[in-house]
Amino acid sequence: MMRNLTFLEVGENELSGTLPTSHFNLSSLLILECIGNQLHGELPTNIGFTIPSLKMLNLASNNFTGLIPITLLNHTALGFIAFGYNSFTGRVPYDFRNFHNLNWLDIAHNYLEGDINFIATLVNCSQLDTLQLGPNHISAKLPESVANLSTSLESFLIVDTPISGEIPKGITNLNNLELLSLGGCKLTGSLPQDFGKLSKLVVLHLYSNELKGRIPSSLSNLTLLSELSLKENLLEGSIPPSLGNCQSLLYLNLSYNELNGTLGNELFEGPASFIELYLHHNHLEGSLPSTMSKQGRLEILKLSNNKFSGVIPDGLRYCSNLQNLFMDGNSFHGNIPSSLSSLAGLQQVDFSQNNLSGPIPAFFSKFPNLYYLNLSYNNFEGRVPTSSLFANESAVFVAGNSRLCGGIKQLQLPKCNENKSRKKINLIIICSLVGLVATAIGGVGIYLSCTKNKKTPLLRGSMIGNVTMKVSYDMLLKATAGFSSENLIGTGSFGSVFKGILDGKTVAVKVLNLQRHGASKSFIAECNTLRNVRHRNLLGIITACSSIDFQRNDFRALVYEFMPHGSLDKWLSGVDGNMSLAQRVDVAIDVAQALSYLHHECETPIVHCDLKPSNILLDNDMVAHVGDFGLARILTQPRHPNQSSTIGIRGTIGYAAPEYGLGSEPSTSGDVYSYGILLLELITGKSPTASMFNDGYNLHEHAEAALPDQVLQIVDPSLEEDNLTEEAEDPRVVQDELQRRVECVTAVISVGVSCSNHLPQERMKIVDTISRLQSARDNLLNARNRRNLPARGARG
């Protein structure tokens, strides 16, 4: 009703719902700003005609969907357009040539499509200072017209967007740029050699492209540069020592390239004062310069997987703020300097895969914040401490050090007072294990293609028939002894599960708590999903009960086949016992076959949406069954994995696919992501929400970093299921068994990493996982069959 209203700002609140259409009829409105709320819905198509005077339209960081109205191009007086962090789809508005007052255009973090050549229409926007275009689905080559954008441009951002081509040489004409981010694209070619012209640059992100050539030495002219990320490219040559002259440089990431040569003293003795330095996964060599001691502000230092040699510099003690120190996968030798005892702020330390020797310093047990210490595959000797950090087997890794003894029993090291003959036997076994890690690199990742129409072979376990029992509330009351606490076997999000005897058959009765929001919807979803679905690896509903006979309140329950060995999460935590490697691979195959059936063999694809260990149940033969379909979605039509959704995040934190957090619709690729995390948890024994996974470090990265030759460092310690020396005196049999285990573990972790890829389109197809895992299991069981050991069966 405020016809003269010119300014409406409601940003950074918790407003929800849709924008009232009447707001778009306020003809006097100059500024409409709603950033950072929970608004949704689509914009009216006639927005370009109803608010003719609009100069600022800021709808960023909401949940808007649909198309950006083409009539918006009538608002040529607009100076500020911000649609970032929403779920807009369709084509990018493509013609901005008449927007002479435009200074801010942000359409990043949407699902927009089209050709990036529309940038050419922005050349006339002489006041443009901020241009943010990605992530989106915009494609084509980065046009040369970028070089003709306004010299007023301060921020230019296109990330995680499939644009290709080379970086235009003329981009250095944009001499007022402060932020240039073109990371996560498909750019090729080399870096412009005159990047140093961009003297006002503060942030330069060109990570995750296919850039080649050398790092321009002219970057040393960028005295204001604070962040430089060139990781995950194909850059070669040495690191320009002159980068140390960038006096404001705090964050330098050159990891995952083809860089070589040594680290010059100049890199660390100049005015640059690094806080985070990532040089891992290159071909750098030589010893570390003594000038590294001048980096007193350094918090993260990653030098992993290079060719560094020499001793660990004593000068690291002066890096008093150091929290994460990764030097694994190099050729460092000598002792760990006692001077490092001053680095009390350390949280993660990895010295594995080097040639270090001497005793394990006791000072590690005194660091209050240290939660990860990896000393595996070195030449350490002597007694392993047992106090503090060393009492936690999930925090300390010492495998592959043949002269260590003591420690907690979970580390499975020999006692320090054992007789010489026993030590000799252990030495042979451990040395064999070290050799196998080196030889396993070329023998893993077996791949057998499986066509979509190929029948999945039957496994053990029976399939519930299409039998529907008619039950009443009184029958279930009697079957569970009045829903007594003695028969309570579990609780979930929407109810409790009781064990009962119904018609002579042991069943599990899931009683819905209708006071919980969403419980009725969950009941309907599970009934609709599994009413006509039958598969040996799906938990079968025997019947569903819905009545209004109990205290005039609705009563709803689902009756399932009873799973005597409970849920998978209890086994992984050790509550119900330990599972062998063969059993875990069998479970992985069972679950994959269930998902393959839901995704590809049902008349209409079904997405589970909540795959996790607590929803995997084990029958009497340890055959896995996928249960709990309360969040399942029947796909009535094919959906793109990035298609937007208004239903909110589906699934459980840690297992839910990352695109769900951005509002994407449930998809089969989302289930594949959850399955990948499940595989990694099966082998590592670590939950994706474990305390060690924080600040962007997750289970996927933890597993990926161990491939292909460090997998034994991350496997669940309980997987050492057999005492090989007691069952086979021939060392060759022991070695063969160990090698097959390494190959099997590596294959499963490889599949898990592929399935849990951040990008949906890069995840492995579920039908392909089955053949990979079956091959790994068969290879493992070849040795087991020769020794007549069982493949299935519970171990308490």
Side-chain angles (χ1 to χ4, degrees):
M1 301 299 292
M2 300 181 180
R3 296 300 178 186
N4 295 322
L5 187 67
T6 60
F7 184 101
L8 176 59
E9 178 178 356
V10 293
E12 304 295 346
N13 282 288
E14 297 182 3
L15 299 174
S16 57
T18 60
L19 272 176
T21 55
S22 57
H23 285 48
F24 297 101
N25 293 324
L26 297 172
S27 57
S28 299
L29 200 62
L30 300 177
I31 296 175
L32 176 58
E33 199 266 1
C34 305
I35 186 175
N37 282 285
Q38 299 158 25
L39 302 172
H40 66 270
E42 299 186 4
L43 301 182
T45 57
N46 63 345
I47 187 174
F49 304 112
T50 56
I51 320 179
S53 303
L54 197 63
K55 297 184 182 298
M56 175 180 179
L57 178 59
N58 190 349
L59 305 180
S61 299
N62 281 284
N63 300 314
F64 289 109
T65 56
L67 305 177
I68 296 178
I70 195 66
T71 60
L72 186 70
L73 296 176
N74 291 335
H75 280 298
T76 56
L78 272 171
F80 192 107
I81 303 174
F83 292 147
Y85 288 94
N86 280 286
S87 296
F88 288 110
T89 55
R91 294 184 62 83
V92 177
Y94 52 86
D95 192 348
F96 293 92
R97 68 188 67 190
N98 294 321
F99 284 68
H100 301 293
N101 298 319
L102 186 65
N103 61 67
W104 188 292
L105 177 60
D106 175 13
I107 57 174
H109 290 277
N110 282 285
Y111 304 112
L112 298 170
E113 301 174 350
D115 193 319
I116 200 169
N117 285 318
F118 78 89
I119 284 181
T121 70
L122 293 166
V123 170
N124 294 335
C125 303
S126 59
Q127 300 182 43
L128 188 65
D129 61 39
T130 298
L131 181 58
Q132 299 183 7
L133 304 180
N136 273 295
H137 300 315
I138 303 169
S139 59
K141 288 185 177 182
L142 188 64
E144 292 289 337
S145 56
V146 166
N148 298 323
L149 291 172
S150 170
T151 55
S152 299
L153 195 64
E154 297 177 356
S155 176
F156 183 29
L157 181 147
I158 312 177
V159 299
D160 298 330
T161 299
I163 59 172
S164 58
E166 299 186 3
I167 299 175
K169 298 295 186 291
I171 200 170
T172 56
N173 295 329
L174 306 178
N175 52 21
N176 280 302
L177 271 180
E178 297 178 4
L179 182 150
L180 176 59
S181 183
L182 302 175
C185 300
K186 297 181 179 180
L187 299 174
T188 56
S190 58
L191 299 175
Q193 292 301 307
D194 57 349
F195 249 135
K197 289 183 178 180
L198 299 175
S199 58
K200 295 183 180 180
L201 208 57
V202 176
V203 175
L204 176 58
H205 288 171
L206 298 172
Y207 59 84
S208 300
N209 282 288
E210 299 174 15
L211 299 170
K212 298 182 179 180
R214 304 177 71 91
I215 298 174
S217 59
S218 65
L219 290 176
S220 61
N221 297 329
L222 304 179
T223 57
L224 299 179
L225 190 65
S226 173
E227 295 184 17
L228 174 60
S229 179
L230 303 175
K231 71 173 184 176
E232 297 175 1
N233 279 288
L234 302 172
L235 298 172
E236 56 190 14
S238 59
I239 298 174
S242 58
L243 284 179
N245 294 327
C246 297
Q247 61 190 39
S248 302
L249 192 56
L250 303 176
Y251 175 101
L252 177 61
N253 195 333
L254 305 177
S255 62
Y256 291 95
N257 276 287
E258 304 294 330
L259 299 171
N260 54 42
T262 60
L263 294 181
N265 281 320
E266 186 181 352
L267 182 63
F268 300 108
E269 66 183 0
S273 182
F274 300 109
I275 293 179
E276 299 182 18
L277 181 60
Y278 303 89
L279 303 178
H280 51 293
H281 287 272
N282 279 289
H283 307 293
L284 302 170
E285 58 188 10
S287 58
L288 299 183
S290 59
T291 52
M292 189 174 284
S293 62
K294 297 186 177 182
Q295 296 298 313
R297 301 176 65 184
L298 195 62
E299 296 179 0
I300 299 176
L301 176 61
K302 285 197 174 185
L303 305 175
S304 311
N305 295 286
N306 278 286
K307 300 178 181 179
F308 290 119
S309 57
V311 299
I312 297 175
D314 187 69
L316 279 178
R317 61 179 172 172
Y318 297 109
C319 302
S320 55
N321 289 327
L322 206 57
Q323 299 175 13
N324 298 323
L325 176 59
F326 289 81
M327 303 176 71
D328 51 297
N330 285 287
S331 297
F332 292 109
H333 64 265
N335 294 0
I336 297 176
S338 60
S339 59
L340 297 192
S341 61
S342 63
L343 301 179
L346 283 172
Q347 299 176 10
Q348 298 185 81
V349 175
D350 196 335
F351 288 143
S352 63
Q353 297 285 344
N354 279 288
N355 297 314
L356 298 171
S357 57
I360 295 177
F363 60 71
F364 282 129
S365 62
K366 299 179 181 179
F367 289 170
N369 301 315
L370 188 63
Y371 63 86
Y372 176 80
L373 175 63
N374 195 339
L375 304 175
S376 301
Y377 300 100
N378 280 285
N379 300 309
F380 292 113
E381 60 185 50
R383 183 182 297 273
V384 176
T386 57
S387 61
S388 189
L389 173 81
F390 291 93
N392 184 356
E393 73 274 13
S394 64
V396 176
F397 302 88
V398 295
N401 289 279
S402 59
R403 290 182 286 180
L404 287 177
C405 63
I408 59 175
K409 65 179 182 179
Q410 289 87 345
L411 296 179
Q412 301 182 3
L413 297 174
K415 294 181 179 179
C416 292
N417 59 354
E418 287 180 309
N419 60 60
K420 292 183 179 180
S421 60
R422 180 61 181 168
K423 288 182 179 180
K424 185 175 181 180
I425 293 174
N426 286 332
L427 182 60
I428 293 173
I429 294 174
I430 297 175
C431 288
S432 298
L433 185 61
V434 175
L436 285 169
V437 174
T439 58
I441 298 175
V444 297
I446 300 172
Y447 184 93
L448 294 177
S449 61
C450 177
T451 60
K452 184 175 181 179
N453 296 323
K454 187 174 181 179
K455 296 280 187 178
T456 302
L458 290 174
L459 293 182
R460 297 149 307 283
S462 60
M463 181 172 64
I464 294 296
N466 292 304
V467 178
T468 302
M469 300 173 59
K470 293 184 178 181
V471 298
S472 65
Y473 171 80
D474 291 336
M475 292 172 65
L476 296 182
L477 189 68
K478 181 179 180 181
T480 60
F483 302 107
S484 67
S485 58
E486 289 79 8
N487 285 327
L488 180 66
I489 57 177
T491 57
S493 301
F494 299 119
S496 303
V497 182
F498 298 84
K499 181 179 178 180
I501 306 295
L502 188 62
D503 199 17
K505 181 180 179 65
T506 303
V507 296
V509 182
K510 179 179 179 180
V511 180
L512 277 295
N513 178 6
L514 298 180
Q515 302 303 313
R516 288 293 302 272
H517 177 71
S520 293
K521 187 176 181 181
S522 172
F523 175 85
I524 295 171
E526 193 144 14
C527 290
N528 289 341
T529 302
L530 295 181
R531 181 184 293 119
N532 297 310
V533 173
R534 292 291 183 265
H535 189 273
R536 58 199 164 278
N537 296 126
L538 295 177
L539 186 62
I541 293 181
I542 298 175
T543 187
C545 172
S546 180
S547 67
I548 54 172
D549 298 331
F550 182 58
Q551 297 181 353
R552 302 177 65 87
N553 291 322
D554 285 344
F555 172 82
R556 292 191 174 121
L558 298 164
V559 182
Y560 295 92
E561 52 182 320
F562 179 68
M563 296 284 111
H565 279 131
S567 60
L568 178 61
D569 62 326
K570 298 293 181 62
W571 286 86
L572 294 181
S573 64
V575 173
D576 287 345
N578 294 325
M579 299 180 74
S580 69
L581 177 58
Q583 287 175 321
R584 297 184 194 216
V585 180
D586 280 332
V587 166
I589 295 172
D590 293 343
V591 176
Q593 291 187 329
L595 287 182
S596 180
Y597 172 80
L598 293 171
H599 293 175
H600 304 294
E601 298 176 39
C602 294
E603 181 176 349
T604 305
I606 296 173
V607 181
H608 185 276
C609 291
D610 198 21
L611 195 67
K612 57 184 178 180
S614 60
N615 288 338
I616 308 299
L617 301 169
L618 303 169
D619 66 17
N620 195 54
D621 296 319
M622 294 295 282
V623 175
H625 299 253
V626 177
D628 198 343
F629 283 75
L631 295 180
R633 169 70 71 88
I634 300 175
L635 301 184
T636 55
Q637 59 184 8
R639 296 177 184 269
H640 189 279
N642 286 331
Q643 185 172 338
S644 60
S645 170
T646 58
I647 62 171
I649 298 177
R650 280 187 175 255
T652 301
I653 293 175
Y655 301 92
E659 64 267 23
Y660 288 176
L662 297 176
S664 295
E665 281 280 358
S667 66
T668 55
S669 63
D671 273 0
V672 172
Y673 177 91
S674 303
Y675 177 73
I677 297 299
L678 175 69
L679 281 187
L680 299 180
E681 187 172 359
L682 266 174
I683 299 301
T684 65
K686 296 187 183 301
S687 165
T689 57
S691 59
M692 67 179 291
F693 301 128
N694 53 44
D695 296 330
Y697 183 64
N698 54 41
L699 179 56
H700 171 89
E701 292 182 352
H702 181 66
E704 186 179 37
L707 290 173
D709 55 350
Q710 299 181 44
V711 293
L712 292 185
Q713 298 178 28
I714 67 170
V715 297
D716 188 342
S718 68
L719 280 177
E720 291 297 323
E721 62 178 32
D722 301 326
N723 188 338
L724 299 176
T725 58
E726 293 180 2
E727 303 214 22
E729 296 180 356
D730 187 350
R732 290 173 297 181
V733 176
V734 176
Q735 185 172 352
D736 180 63
E737 169 76 359
L738 286 171
Q739 179 165 349
R740 291 178 186 275
R741 287 191 194 184
V742 172
E743 291 175 352
C744 181
V745 165
T746 306
V748 177
I749 290 178
S750 297
V751 172
V753 168
S754 179
C755 289
S756 58
N757 196 294
H758 186 80
L759 299 177
Q761 62 270 25
E762 293 185 9
R763 294 171 194 156
M764 181 180 290
K765 302 299 182 185
I766 196 65
V767 292
D768 293 332
T769 69
I770 297 173
S771 61
R772 289 280 296 272
L773 295 174
Q774 286 177 334
S775 177
R777 180 191 60 185
D778 294 343
N779 186 47
L780 175 68
L781 296 187
N782 282 338
R784 182 176 296 276
N785 290 337
R786 289 203 302 271
R787 294 168 51 215
N788 297 318
L789 295 178
R792 281 275 194 185
R795 291 184 73 249

